[in-house]
Amino acid sequence: MIIAIDGPAASGKGTIARRLAAHYGLPHLDTGLLYRATARSLMERGERLENVDAAISAARGLALTDFDETQLRGAEMGEAASIMGAMPQVRAVLLDLQRQFAARQEGAILDGRDIGSIICPNAEVKIFVTAQSETRAQRRALELKSRGEKVDFAAVLADIQKRDERDSSRSSAPLIMASDAIRLDTTGLDVEKSVAAAIAIVENKTQKS
Ligand code: DC
């Protein structure tokens, strides 16, 4: 079974994907890490984020085992990853890596922005996780605080809105809900309720097919 989970920043998609992976015993790929790791590799080489050729080469150098999440999770890396995500050539390089992961015999769960629409259009279950931007900014602020980062709520909200805008308006694989995805709005839902709702969607979908 392939489960595709998409949604905007801090919607809860990563947490839901991890919990579903544990529940169903499936391997999980957080595809945002690919874009974050590409950006980090570029920065380590001292290249500008806008350098498309260098970004392509950084993306080509990635392996799925490369990720040190502690270095990739911050707000700055999220913004840098969003710039990578707007480059069609980088998306093309990362497409194969994601499809290889999804092709595992036991199935897989992938979360990102274009999993249901582009990477795994034939996924058995597609969930589009969303929440109001203020709620998402509150979650992101809490997460950053717990990482020891200084938090200015207005700046976090502005960052989320800027990323939403870039991720949704880019020409290549923009953040959109696939026509056969089920929307899960986590505004007002805690983690347990969000996960329970996601499991209910999977059960409902798989029982029908
Ligand atoms: O899910 P995240 O916040 O870690 O993603 C960081 C950025 O990476 C996001 O703003 C856009 C980009 N991204 C993408 O373009 N496509 C994906 N499948 C995943 C992430």
Side-chain angles (χ1 to χ4, degrees):
M1 169 167 67
I2 295 180
I3 302 178
I5 302 189
D6 290 300
S11 56
K13 66 183 186 313
T15 304
I16 290 173
R18 273 192 299 279
R19 291 282 300 269
L20 284 182
H23 185 82
Y24 291 105
L26 289 170
H28 164 228
L29 179 63
D30 171 350
T31 64
L33 287 178
L34 299 173
Y35 294 87
R36 288 171 183 260
T38 301
R40 183 165 173 92
S41 161
L42 213 58
M43 288 165 158
E44 280 171 355
R45 296 176 194 190
E47 298 287 357
R48 289 170 49 247
L49 289 172
E50 292 73 22
N51 184 337
V52 178
D53 288 336
I56 294 168
S57 151
R60 284 204 179 117
L62 288 189
L64 289 178
T65 48
D66 273 353
F67 313 122
D68 175 354
E69 285 201 37
T70 49
Q71 293 182 333
L72 298 176
R73 282 287 166 213
E76 190 198 359
M77 293 311 300
E79 174 64 15
S82 174
I83 295 173
M84 299 297 102
M87 296 176 181
Q89 304 93 326
V90 169
R91 305 200 73 84
V93 173
L94 297 180
L95 183 102
D96 283 345
L97 219 52
Q98 295 170 80
R99 288 216 174 129
Q100 272 166 30
F101 188 90
R104 291 167 181 226
Q105 214 174 3
E106 69 265 41
I109 299 187
L110 288 83
D111 78 83
R113 302 289 188 291
D114 61 342
I115 309 303
S117 56
I118 307 280
I119 308 293
C120 302
N122 298 324
E124 283 86 345
V125 185
K126 299 181 186 179
I127 304 177
F128 191 85
V129 183
T130 183
Q132 282 170 7
S133 52
E134 284 75 13
T135 306
R136 293 189 281 123
Q138 275 160 7
R139 291 178 188 155
R140 185 46 52 88
L142 274 178
E143 182 196 324
L144 295 174
K145 229 183 223 168
S146 74
R147 289 170 42 88
E149 288 193 35
K150 236 168 91 192
V151 175
D152 166 358
F153 180 76
V156 173
L157 179 59
D159 173 62
I160 289 231
Q161 287 167 339
K162 186 171 156 201
R163 268 221 275 156
D164 283 356
E165 168 62 21
R166 188 190 291 111
D167 293 347
S168 306
S169 64
R170 66 184 177 219
S171 58
S172 173
L175 169 68
I176 44 156
M177 182 169 132
S179 58
D180 52 350
I182 311 277
R183 180 185 294 271
L184 171 52
D185 188 336
T186 63
T187 310
L189 298 185
D190 63 13
V191 170
E192 295 310 321
K193 288 202 172 99
S194 303
V195 172
I199 290 175
I201 291 171
V202 176
E203 295 298 319
N204 190 24
K205 258 297 206 200
T206 47
Q207 271 158 25
K208 275 187 199 154
S209 53

